[in-house]
Each structure stands twice: as C-alpha cells, then as structure tokens.
Amino acid sequence: VQLQASGGGLVQAGGSLRLSCAASANRFSGNVMGWYRQAPGKQRELVAVISSFGVTNYADSVKGRFTISRENAKNTAYLQMNSLKPEDTATYYCNAGSPTFARPGNYWGQGTQVTVSS
C-alpha cells in the first residue's frame, strides 16, 4: 500500500495551498489519516488528523487556518491550508493506518515541500 502526497509548492505569506494524500488501496477507511510536517533541524510534528467518522484534531499552531478532510470512497485525505505563515515552511507527510490519534500509523507518504515566503 502506498500513500501519494501532492499539492505542495511555494506561496507568499497569507496565501493558500491544498495538499492531497491518495492511498493506493482501500486499507484505511476505518483508520485515522493525517498530516505531519518536519522543518529543517526540527522533529516531525503532528499537523492534523481525522478519524474515519470525520472527527478531527489539530496542532494549536494551525487551528483556525488549516482544515483536514477525507473522502473514504476515494481513499484520499486533504489538507486545506489558508493564511500561511513562513513558519509553516516544512516537508509535509501524509500518514495512515493508526486506530488512534495518539500515535501515527505505519504508512507514510513520500513528503511534499511547502515553502512560505515572507
């Protein structure tokens, strides 16, 4: 099973991007899907997660700016990022397979770069 992330890019502060994460098989409809990010020199951190029922959880730093969603029929999760800030610059990784918000699943996408210029 593979996770294919897309949608990253370069954007000015205040702009928006939408990330997509498509799973190659219908393995995760009952599991949590989410997004994590890692900036240079920093540890990977949770950005947002969503359960199969649509319950969500966000990092405090992105609340009110980012929205996670999913389409189980398409095995796809999305991250709508608005009001982007330079500190959002990082490589974003989609994740799937965990039954809980407490830890990431075993499946990771390849990462997509988001760069926010000031």
Side-chain angles (χ1 to χ4, degrees):
V1 178
Q2 293 183 328
L3 298 176
Q4 183 68 41
S6 61
L10 173 64
V11 65
Q12 289 187 333
S16 298
L17 286 173
R18 188 190 194 211
L19 306 184
S20 298
C21 173
S24 60
N26 183 23
R27 286 281 303 275
F28 307 118
S29 61
N31 296 128
V32 173
M33 297 186 75
W35 293 92
Y36 292 72
R37 67 186 180 187
Q38 187 168 18
K42 295 187 177 182
Q43 290 188 333
R44 191 172 296 188
E45 63 177 2
L46 180 147
V47 177
V49 288
I50 184 169
S51 75
S52 58
F53 299 105
V55 178
T56 59
N57 189 44
Y58 296 91
D60 288 343
S61 59
V62 307
K63 282 180 181 177
R65 301 188 297 121
F66 291 11
T67 302
I68 189 170
S69 60
R70 64 189 289 173
E71 290 186 78
N72 289 333
K74 294 184 177 181
N75 306 318
T76 301
Y78 306 96
L79 185 68
Q80 177 67 42
M81 304 185 294
N82 298 329
S83 302
L84 282 160
K85 304 176 180 180
E87 51 263 44
D88 295 317
T89 296
T91 301
Y92 284 69
Y93 297 90
C94 64
N95 177 267
S98 176
T100 173
F101 285 174
R103 65 180 186 273
N106 292 328
Y107 298 90
W108 293 93
Q110 83 281 14
T112 184
Q113 180 66 36
V114 172
T115 302
V116 184
S117 63
S118 58

Coordinates of all heavy atoms in Angstrom, one line a residue, residues 67-107:
T67 N -7.6 23.0 7.5 CA -8.7 22.2 7.6 C -8.4 20.8 7.0 O -8.0 20.8 5.8 CB -9.9 22.7 6.9 OG1 -10.3 24.0 7.5 CG2 -11.2 21.8 7.1
I68 N -8.5 19.8 7.7 CA -8.3 18.4 7.2 C -9.7 17.8 6.9 O -10.7 18.0 7.5 CB -7.5 17.5 8.2 CG1 -7.1 16.2 7.5 CG2 -8.3 17.3 9.5 CD1 -6.2 15.4 8.4
S69 N -9.7 17.0 5.8 CA -10.9 16.3 5.4 C -10.5 15.0 4.7 O -9.3 14.8 4.4 CB -11.7 17.2 4.4 OG -11.0 17.5 3.3
R70 N -11.5 14.2 4.4 CA -11.2 12.9 3.7 C -12.4 12.5 3.0 O -13.5 12.8 3.3 CB -10.7 11.9 4.7 CG -11.8 11.4 5.7 CD -11.2 10.5 6.8 NE -10.9 9.2 6.3 CZ -10.2 8.3 7.1 NH1 -9.8 8.6 8.3 NH2 -10.0 7.1 6.6
E71 N -12.1 11.7 1.9 CA -13.2 11.0 1.1 C -12.8 9.6 1.2 O -12.0 9.1 0.4 CB -13.2 11.6 -0.3 CG -13.6 13.0 -0.5 CD -13.8 13.4 -1.9 OE1 -14.8 12.9 -2.6 OE2 -12.9 14.1 -2.4
N72 N -13.5 8.8 2.0 CA -13.2 7.4 2.1 C -13.4 6.6 0.8 O -12.7 5.7 0.5 CB -14.1 6.8 3.2 CG -13.7 7.3 4.6 OD1 -12.5 7.6 4.9 ND2 -14.6 7.3 5.5
A73 N -14.4 7.0 0.1 CA -14.7 6.3 -1.2 C -13.5 6.5 -2.2 O -13.4 5.6 -3.1 CB -16.0 6.9 -1.8
K74 N -12.7 7.6 -2.0 CA -11.6 7.8 -2.9 C -10.3 7.5 -2.2 O -9.2 7.7 -2.8 CB -11.6 9.2 -3.4 CG -12.7 9.6 -4.3 CD -12.6 11.0 -4.8 CE -13.7 11.4 -5.7 NZ -13.6 12.8 -6.3
N75 N -10.3 7.0 -1.0 CA -9.1 6.7 -0.2 C -8.2 7.9 -0.2 O -7.0 7.7 -0.3 CB -8.4 5.5 -0.8 CG -9.3 4.3 -1.0 OD1 -10.0 3.9 -0.1 ND2 -9.2 3.6 -2.2
T76 N -8.7 9.0 0.0 CA -8.0 10.3 -0.1 C -8.2 11.2 1.1 O -9.4 11.3 1.5 CB -8.3 11.0 -1.4 OG1 -8.0 10.2 -2.5 CG2 -7.5 12.3 -1.5
A77 N -7.2 11.8 1.6 CA -7.3 12.9 2.6 C -6.7 14.2 2.0 O -5.9 14.2 1.2 CB -6.5 12.5 3.9
Y78 N -7.3 15.3 2.6 CA -6.9 16.6 2.1 C -6.5 17.5 3.3 O -6.9 17.3 4.4 CB -8.0 17.3 1.4 CG -8.6 16.4 0.2 CD1 -9.7 15.6 0.5 CD2 -8.0 16.4 -1.0 CE1 -10.3 14.9 -0.6 CE2 -8.6 15.7 -2.0 CZ -9.7 14.9 -1.8 OH -10.2 14.1 -2.8
L79 N -5.6 18.4 3.0 CA -5.3 19.5 4.0 C -5.4 20.8 3.3 O -4.5 21.1 2.5 CB -3.9 19.2 4.6 CG -3.5 20.2 5.7 CD1 -4.4 19.9 6.9 CD2 -2.0 20.1 6.1
Q80 N -6.4 21.6 3.6 CA -6.5 22.9 3.1 C -5.8 23.9 4.0 O -6.1 23.9 5.2 CB -8.0 23.3 3.0 CG -8.2 24.7 2.5 CD -7.8 24.9 1.1 OE1 -8.1 24.1 0.2 NE2 -7.1 26.1 0.8
M81 N -4.8 24.6 3.5 CA -4.0 25.5 4.3 C -4.2 26.9 3.9 O -3.9 27.2 2.8 CB -2.5 25.1 4.2 CG -2.3 23.6 4.5 SD -0.5 23.2 4.5 CE -0.1 23.4 2.8
N82 N -4.8 27.7 4.8 CA -5.0 29.1 4.5 C -4.2 30.0 5.4 O -3.7 29.5 6.4 CB -6.5 29.4 4.7 CG -7.4 28.6 3.7 OD1 -7.0 28.3 2.6 ND2 -8.6 28.3 4.2
S83 N -4.1 31.2 5.1 CA -3.3 32.2 5.9 C -2.0 31.7 6.3 O -1.5 31.7 7.4 CB -4.1 32.5 7.2 OG -5.4 33.1 6.8
L84 N -1.3 31.1 5.3 CA 0.0 30.5 5.5 C 1.0 31.5 6.0 O 1.0 32.7 5.7 CB 0.5 29.8 4.3 CG -0.1 28.5 4.0 CD1 0.0 28.1 2.5 CD2 0.4 27.4 4.9
K85 N 1.9 31.0 6.9 CA 3.0 31.8 7.5 C 4.3 31.2 7.2 O 4.4 30.0 6.9 CB 2.8 31.8 9.0 CG 1.4 32.3 9.5 CD 1.3 32.2 11.0 CE 0.0 32.7 11.6 NZ -0.1 32.5 13.0
P86 N 5.4 32.0 7.2 CA 6.7 31.5 6.9 C 7.0 30.3 7.9 O 7.7 29.4 7.4 CB 7.6 32.7 7.2 CG 6.8 33.9 6.9 CD 5.4 33.5 7.3
E87 N 6.6 30.3 9.1 CA 6.8 29.2 10.0 C 6.1 27.9 9.6 O 6.4 26.9 10.2 CB 6.5 29.6 11.4 CG 5.2 30.2 11.6 CD 5.2 31.7 11.7 OE1 5.8 32.3 10.8 OE2 4.5 32.3 12.5
D88 N 5.2 28.0 8.6 CA 4.6 26.7 8.1 C 5.5 26.0 7.1 O 5.2 24.9 6.7 CB 3.3 27.0 7.5 CG 2.2 27.6 8.4 OD1 2.1 27.0 9.5 OD2 1.5 28.5 8.1
T89 N 6.6 26.6 6.7 CA 7.5 26.0 5.8 C 8.1 24.7 6.4 O 8.6 24.7 7.5 CB 8.7 27.0 5.5 OG1 8.2 28.1 4.8 CG2 9.7 26.3 4.6
A90 N 7.9 23.6 5.6 CA 8.3 22.3 6.0 C 8.0 21.3 4.9 O 7.4 21.6 4.0 CB 7.6 21.9 7.3
T91 N 8.5 20.1 5.1 CA 8.1 19.0 4.3 C 6.9 18.4 5.0 O 7.0 18.0 6.2 CB 9.2 17.9 4.1 OG1 10.3 18.6 3.5 CG2 8.7 16.8 3.3
Y92 N 5.8 18.2 4.3 CA 4.6 17.7 4.8 C 4.4 16.2 4.4 O 4.6 15.9 3.2 CB 3.4 18.5 4.4 CG 3.3 19.8 5.1 CD1 4.2 20.8 4.9 CD2 2.2 20.1 6.0 CE1 4.1 22.0 5.5 CE2 2.1 21.3 6.7 CZ 3.1 22.3 6.4 OH 3.0 23.5 7.1
Y93 N 4.1 15.4 5.4 CA 4.0 13.9 5.2 C 2.5 13.5 5.5 O 2.1 13.8 6.6 CB 4.9 13.2 6.0 CG 6.4 13.4 5.7 CD1 7.1 14.5 6.4 CD2 7.1 12.7 4.8 CE1 8.4 14.7 6.1 CE2 8.4 12.9 4.5 CZ 9.1 13.9 5.2 OH 10.4 14.2 4.9
C94 N 1.9 12.8 4.6 CA 0.7 12.2 5.0 C 0.9 10.8 5.7 O 2.0 10.2 5.5 CB -0.3 12.0 3.8 SG 0.3 10.9 2.5
N95 N 0.0 10.4 6.5 CA 0.1 9.3 7.3 C -1.2 8.5 7.4 O -2.3 9.2 7.4 CB 0.6 9.6 8.7 CG 0.7 8.5 9.6 OD1 -0.2 8.1 10.3 ND2 1.9 7.8 9.5
A96 N -1.2 7.2 7.5 CA -2.4 6.5 7.7 C -2.1 5.2 8.4 O -1.0 4.7 8.5 CB -3.0 6.2 6.3
G97 N -3.2 4.6 8.9 CA -3.1 3.2 9.4 C -3.2 3.1 10.9 O -3.3 2.0 11.5
S98 N -3.2 4.3 11.7 CA -3.4 4.2 13.1 C -4.8 4.1 13.5 O -5.7 4.8 12.9 CB -2.7 5.4 13.8 OG -2.9 5.4 15.2
P99 N -5.1 3.4 14.5 CA -6.5 3.3 15.0 C -6.8 4.5 16.0 O -8.0 4.6 16.5 CB -6.6 2.0 15.7 CG -5.2 1.8 16.3 CD -4.3 2.4 15.2
T100 N -5.8 5.3 16.3 CA -6.0 6.3 17.3 C -5.3 7.6 16.9 O -4.3 7.6 16.1 CB -5.4 5.8 18.7 OG1 -5.4 6.8 19.6 CG2 -4.0 5.2 18.5
F101 N -5.7 8.7 17.6 CA -5.0 10.0 17.4 C -3.6 10.0 18.1 O -2.8 10.8 17.9 CB -5.8 11.1 17.9 CG -7.0 11.5 17.0 CD1 -7.9 12.5 17.4 CD2 -7.2 10.9 15.8 CE1 -8.9 12.8 16.6 CE2 -8.2 11.3 15.0 CZ -9.1 12.2 15.4
A102 N -3.4 9.1 19.1 CA -2.3 9.1 20.0 C -0.9 8.9 19.3 O 0.1 9.3 19.8 CB -2.5 8.2 21.1
R103 N -0.9 8.2 18.2 CA 0.3 7.9 17.5 C 0.1 7.8 16.0 O -1.0 7.5 15.6 CB 0.9 6.6 18.0 CG 0.0 5.3 17.7 CD 0.7 4.1 18.2 NE -0.1 2.9 17.8 CZ -1.1 2.4 18.5 NH1 -1.5 3.0 19.6 NH2 -1.7 1.3 18.1
P104 N 1.1 8.0 15.2 CA 0.9 7.9 13.8 C 0.8 6.4 13.4 O 1.3 5.5 14.1 CB 2.2 8.5 13.2 CG 3.2 8.4 14.3 CD 2.4 8.5 15.6
G105 N 0.3 6.2 12.2 CA 0.2 4.8 11.6 C 1.5 4.4 11.0 O 2.5 5.2 11.0
N106 N 1.5 3.2 10.5 CA 2.8 2.7 9.9 C 3.0 3.1 8.5 O 4.1 2.8 7.9 CB 2.8 1.2 10.0 CG 2.8 0.7 11.4 OD1 3.4 1.3 12.3 ND2 2.2 -0.5 11.7
Y107 N 2.1 3.8 7.8 CA 2.2 4.1 6.4 C 2.4 5.6 6.3 O 1.7 6.4 6.8 CB 0.9 3.7 5.7 CG 0.7 2.2 5.7 CD1 -0.1 1.6 6.8 CD2 1.2 1.3 4.8 CE1 -0.3 0.3 6.8 CE2 1.0 0.0 4.8 CZ 0.3 -0.6 5.9 OH 0.1 -1.9 5.9

